[in-house]
Amino acid sequence: MAENVFFEMRGIDKDYIMGGEPVHALKNINLSIEEGEYLSVLGPSGSGKSTLMNIIGCLDTPTAGQYTLRGREVEELDETELAQLRSREIGFIFQNSQLLNRLTALKNVELPLIYAGVLPKERRRRAEAMLERVGLADRMDHLPTQLSGGQQQRVAIARALVGNPSLLLADEPTGALDQKTGAQIMELFSELNAEHRTVIMITHDMNIAAHARRIIRIIDGEITEGGSVKDA
């Protein structure tokens, strides 16, 4: 694998059994991502794009094929090693921010650092810095129910970033937001990518996908079009 390749998939299949019948969610996926890329995975509902995201994020395993992440064969890692890999390398952002309503914005952002064993003083410092980074310095002590949808998504982005991951995986991150707020969130992703962070956006919306530098299309579990890298 080339030195600047972040991950590579070769011949990835993913099958499920539903109602006693096999369902082929992914079929012969071949995909390579370079360090610092901004990629959109574009496809309709049921196309397999979320399944692909889960395998990229080491939340699920393929039925067949080879997945290499940072030069390591993912299938050879045990559960502890996979958890460490996710914690160290990958930040997840979902359509619904999935914040804990009983915790303040600051405490929500601190959560991944608690699981990583970071000491309280350092956790707070890093969480405060990240909330300031996403424009929420004056909302740290607010509960999610006291924040707008866009502010909640910014908290979720801060939580994904606080562990300083190399890869951001965003699954329909603007799907629950109005157009103006969604545009602001997309601008933030562009800024993060400009800092040489690898970003993969999962979406059904071409307008959202167009923010990326490269687009791949997935239909019925197969990559049908590779797109092209945009001019910087």
Side-chain angles (χ1 to χ4, degrees), residues 94-108:
F94 301 96
Q95 177 174 336
N96 298 311
S97 58
Q98 299 188 358
L99 303 178
L100 296 181
N101 285 331
R102 58 186 173 80
L103 299 181
T104 64
L106 182 66
K107 293 299 184 183
N108 267 285

Side-chain angles (χ1 to χ4, degrees), residues 4-7 33-39 56-57 67 69-70 84-93 126 130 159-170 189 192-200:
N4 63 336
V5 172
F6 187 81
F7 73 73
I33 303 296
E34 292 187 359
E35 196 88 43
E37 265 206 79
Y38 188 171
L39 174 78
I56 292 172
Y67 178 31
L69 177 62
R70 289 279 200 199
Q84 291 172 344
L85 183 65
R86 287 191 296 266
S87 175
R88 184 174 63 251
E89 298 283 1
I90 305 169
F92 296 91
I93 303 160
R126 289 167 61 176
M130 199 52 63
R159 182 180 60 191
L161 289 171
V162 75
N164 195 32
S166 302
L167 171 66
L168 286 179
L169 277 176
F189 279 117
L192 294 168
N193 177 245
E195 298 169 359
H196 205 63
R197 216 178 287 268
T198 306
V199 178
I200 298 179

Side-chain angles (χ1 to χ4, degrees), residues 68-231:
T68 305
L69 177 62
R70 289 279 200 199
R72 305 179 72 184
E73 300 292 340
V74 172
E75 66 178 9
E76 296 178 358
L77 305 179
D78 62 27
E79 287 301 320
T80 299
E81 290 172 321
L82 284 171
Q84 291 172 344
L85 183 65
R86 287 191 296 266
S87 175
R88 184 174 63 251
E89 298 283 1
I90 305 169
F92 296 91
I93 303 160
F94 301 96
Q95 177 174 336
N96 298 311
S97 58
Q98 299 188 358
L99 303 178
L100 296 181
N101 285 331
R102 58 186 173 80
L103 299 181
T104 64
L106 182 66
K107 293 299 184 183
N108 267 285
V109 176
E110 282 188 30
L111 277 176
L113 301 181
I114 293 174
Y115 299 140
V118 178
L119 295 175
K121 186 175 181 179
E122 176 65 9
R123 285 202 310 262
R124 184 179 182 90
R125 184 193 69 78
R126 289 167 61 176
E128 287 177 345
M130 199 52 63
L131 282 167
E132 184 174 352
R133 169 71 177 80
V134 300
L136 291 177
D138 59 342
R139 295 290 189 271
M140 294 186 189
D141 295 326
H142 286 59
L143 296 171
T145 53
Q146 299 170 314
L147 301 173
S148 69
Q151 288 170 336
Q152 289 180 33
Q153 195 63 301
R154 285 175 181 269
V155 175
I157 292 170
R159 182 180 60 191
L161 289 171
V162 75
N164 195 32
S166 302
L167 171 66
L168 286 179
L169 277 176
D171 190 5
E172 303 281 7
T174 65
L177 305 177
D178 62 74
Q179 188 172 359
K180 180 180 178 181
T181 305
Q184 293 171 346
I185 295 298
M186 294 311 301
E187 179 61 30
L188 179 55
F189 279 117
S190 293
E191 292 173 9
L192 294 168
N193 177 245
E195 298 169 359
H196 205 63
R197 216 178 287 268
T198 306
V199 178
I200 298 179
M201 188 80 56
I202 310 296
T203 183
H204 69 279
D205 187 339
M206 183 60 198
N207 292 325
I208 296 299
H211 287 267
R213 294 181 176 272
R214 180 160 69 108
I215 299 171
I216 62 169
R217 298 173 186 269
I218 185 168
I219 297 176
D220 294 333
E222 296 181 274
I223 292 178
T224 62
E225 184 179 339
S228 60
V229 178
K230 294 182 178 181
D231 293 333

